[in-house]
Amino acid sequence: MLQLFNSLTRQREPLKTLEPGQVRLYVCGITVYDYCHLGHARFLVVFDMFVRYLRAQGWQVRYVRNITDIDDKIIRRAAESGSTPEAVAERFADALAEDEAALGLIAPDMEPRATAHVGQIIAMIERLIERGAAYVGDNGDVYYDVSTFERYGALSGRRLDEMRSGARIAVNEAKDDPLDFVLWKAAKPGEPSWESPWGAGRPGWHIECSAMSTHCLGDSFDIHGGGLDLQFPHHENEIAQSEAATGKRYVGLWMHNGFVTVDDEKMSKSLGNFLTLRDVLAQYDAESVRYFVLATHYRSPLAYNAEAMDSAASALARLYTTLRDAPAGGDAHADVNAAYRSRFLEAMDDDLNTPAAIAVLFDMAREANRAGADESTRRADLAAGLREFGAMIGLLQQDADAYLQAGGVTDDGLTAETIEGMLAQRREARAARDFATADRIRDELTAAGVVLEDSAEGTKWRRG
């Protein structure tokens, strides 16, 4: 049985859902004011892997991932660029879609946008005010009253009195308590706004996800996910306002992926180590990025550096080399794969332990590589198993030759067609026993990052 770590209870729990065989999953998406960064890429890949695995195991999954398209950051970016918040949001929502396609992500079943759910947001705030959990401040903003929710702090493990001890109410704020958070912001000149019972304004960030998630999945649903940075205050606030509004348990299980560090420091624009996904994809192929993310357990910190990415790309190439060299037409359910299947599923069912699952793939590849020339069926079956297990986490689904030879043009301007032509010249030189020319061609290709593999069957090549 699949066991997952629940951030709320701080322990592994068997996956239990409201409806047998069905998983309702909401993942906090991206605020579209800039390009996706490496931290975004991590949660996108992690939850894409999770959905793929659930579906491979027979679960019906309703996967919802939102877009925040109205927020302080979007408004600031619009002011800085001389644009409008609507134009900024649309520009970076389009860029997000391009990045998701580049990563090969499966599309969520629903991708709600905050501005399309203002009606649901207003209705939820009205219920909170009616139930005494929210109030209208003197400044026209609407605030959630944290003191009305006894379990506030349970997700993050924080106590109300400890949180208050270091907090202050600014002079111009109308909060009753420094921990109260805004649900509705009164309109300011030049900002987008909507009419409401409290006057023109716009939603606060936290209430957006509560309204969108419950609209798409119901007042109660199975799993809520996102990055660890969202655990407090965003997810803490979601629980408080959602349960106060509905009177029901909001989410059964909370999942959070760990932070990304760059050269041993947390990624941050202020530190100058901020990497967009596009920066990374300019140097590495998308599947290598996916492998890099999955080679570390999703709850652990993920350390990005050039050496780690090079290692990921090299490791993935080794698996594809096994697939390339194995005969086609194998049976993934052959006896040779039975023990590997058991180990792979055991790893994945242990809180999605992808590093252990990937280790199983390498054990399969080693056995396939060591199989003798007269064991073609065994090699083919192992390769088929590699493909099937890889599919469960989104790896090894490309044509092996195409993957290994991808990359467009090398640093020295060598296209695939040029390389094939040079290899033909090398074959002719070797046939004529002109080994000096053959060696020169090999050296030129090696210098350009092309790896040649000579065998009895001929010469195969791949990008280094």
Side-chain angles (χ1 to χ4, degrees), residues 359-413:
V360 175
L361 300 183
F362 276 98
D363 287 345
M364 296 173 72
R366 275 189 288 271
E367 181 172 349
N369 294 338
R370 291 170 182 167
D374 59 342
E375 296 181 285
S376 60
T377 299
R378 187 179 192 84
R379 291 167 60 208
D381 290 344
L382 286 162
L386 272 174
R387 290 277 192 191
E388 183 180 294
F389 300 165
M392 295 186 197
I393 56 176
L395 295 175
L396 304 178
Q397 300 308 292
Q398 300 185 56
D399 176 80
D401 267 324
Y403 176 82
L404 293 168
Q405 297 176 3
V409 179
T410 66
D411 290 342
D412 283 355

Side-chain angles (χ1 to χ4, degrees), residues 412-425 445 461 463:
D412 283 355
L414 298 178
T415 65
E417 291 75 14
T418 302
I419 293 169
E420 291 289 357
M422 294 174 71
L423 289 178
Q425 295 172 16
L445 290 171
W461 67 273
R463 305 284 183 185

Side-chain angles (χ1 to χ4, degrees), residues 22-30 40-52 54-55 59-66 100 105-112 212-213 216-217 221-226 290:
Q22 299 186 30
V23 176
R24 285 181 280 176
L25 168 66
Y26 183 88
V27 176
C28 278
I30 292 173
H40 294 142
R42 186 180 197 188
F43 93 79
L44 289 169
V45 168
V46 163
F47 287 100
D48 181 86
M49 170 273 295
F50 181 40
V51 172
R52 287 175 189 266
L54 286 172
R55 288 175 175 163
W59 291 90
Q60 294 181 22
V61 183
R62 190 173 190 187
Y63 175 28
V64 180
R65 189 184 66 224
N66 77 292
E100 290 170 355
L105 302 178
I106 54 176
D109 298 298
M110 301 181 73
E111 195 170 39
M212 286 186 285
S213 62
C216 295
L217 296 174
F221 55 93
D222 302 308
I223 302 175
H224 194 313
R290 185 183 190 91

Side-chain angles (χ1 to χ4, degrees), residues 114-438:
T115 56
H117 291 271
V118 174
Q120 286 87 10
I121 292 168
I122 290 172
M124 181 171 276
I125 296 173
E126 287 182 305
R127 289 199 300 274
L128 289 170
I129 292 175
E130 290 169 1
R131 297 181 180 194
Y135 58 92
V136 182
D138 294 339
N139 58 359
D141 290 352
V142 181
Y143 295 97
Y144 182 87
D145 183 351
V146 169
S147 68
T148 64
F149 192 72
E150 293 183 358
R151 298 186 305 282
Y152 191 82
L155 180 64
S156 58
R158 304 183 184 206
R159 294 167 55 91
L160 279 174
D161 54 352
E162 293 172 350
M163 287 188 275
R164 286 195 182 99
S165 65
R168 288 185 306 165
I169 300 178
V171 173
N172 64 344
E173 284 192 323
K175 296 182 187 180
D176 291 346
D177 186 296
L179 298 182
D180 293 349
F181 56 88
V182 68
L183 301 171
W184 186 261
K185 298 185 177 185
K188 295 180 181 178
E191 291 187 356
S193 64
W194 290 261
E195 289 301 321
S196 80
W198 322 285
R202 59 185 173 88
W205 175 39
H206 308 301
I207 195 69
E208 293 175 350
C209 278
S210 286
M212 286 186 285
S213 62
T214 54
H215 174 76
C216 295
L217 296 174
D219 291 344
S220 298
F221 55 93
D222 302 308
I223 302 175
H224 194 313
L228 187 60
D229 57 315
L230 299 180
Q231 188 177 48
F232 186 88
H234 185 53
H235 289 164
E236 194 80 72
N237 291 349
E238 275 192 67
I239 293 172
Q241 64 201 8
S242 300
E243 296 191 0
T246 68
K248 299 176 183 177
R249 184 184 186 187
Y250 179 41
V251 172
L253 188 144
W254 288 84
M255 292 177 63
H256 293 95
N257 63 271
F259 291 115
V260 175
T261 63
V262 177
D263 295 324
D264 298 324
E265 291 185 299
K266 184 182 175 183
M267 189 174 66
S268 154
K269 286 185 177 179
S270 62
L271 294 174
N273 63 355
F274 184 83
L275 287 170
T276 69
L277 176 57
R278 296 182 176 208
D279 294 332
V280 179
L281 290 178
Q283 302 178 63
Y284 300 96
D285 69 278
E287 193 169 349
S288 290
V289 174
R290 185 183 190 91
Y291 180 98
F292 165 72
V293 170
L294 299 182
T296 295
H297 190 272
Y298 78 92
R299 289 193 293 111
S300 299
L302 178 63
Y304 180 91
N305 54 62
E307 292 77 15
M309 273 304 310
D310 288 343
S311 177
S314 177
L316 186 60
R318 291 199 300 275
L319 292 174
Y320 268 113
T321 299
T322 297
L323 293 175
R324 181 199 64 185
D325 294 342
D331 179 5
H333 292 271
D335 289 344
V336 68
N337 291 322
Y340 291 123
R341 182 182 301 275
S342 178
R343 287 175 53 202
F344 184 90
L345 297 180
E346 181 180 0
M348 291 299 296
D349 285 347
D350 181 18
D351 194 29
L352 306 175
N353 190 345
T354 51
I358 289 173
V360 175
L361 300 183
F362 276 98
D363 287 345
M364 296 173 72
R366 275 189 288 271
E367 181 172 349
N369 294 338
R370 291 170 182 167
D374 59 342
E375 296 181 285
S376 60
T377 299
R378 187 179 192 84
R379 291 167 60 208
D381 290 344
L382 286 162
L386 272 174
R387 290 277 192 191
E388 183 180 294
F389 300 165
M392 295 186 197
I393 56 176
L395 295 175
L396 304 178
Q397 300 308 292
Q398 300 185 56
D399 176 80
D401 267 324
Y403 176 82
L404 293 168
Q405 297 176 3
V409 179
T410 66
D411 290 342
D412 283 355
L414 298 178
T415 65
E417 291 75 14
T418 302
I419 293 169
E420 291 289 357
M422 294 174 71
L423 289 178
Q425 295 172 16
R426 181 171 178 263
R427 285 193 296 272
E428 292 173 1
R430 295 177 75 182
R433 304 187 68 78
D434 182 0
F435 297 116
T437 298

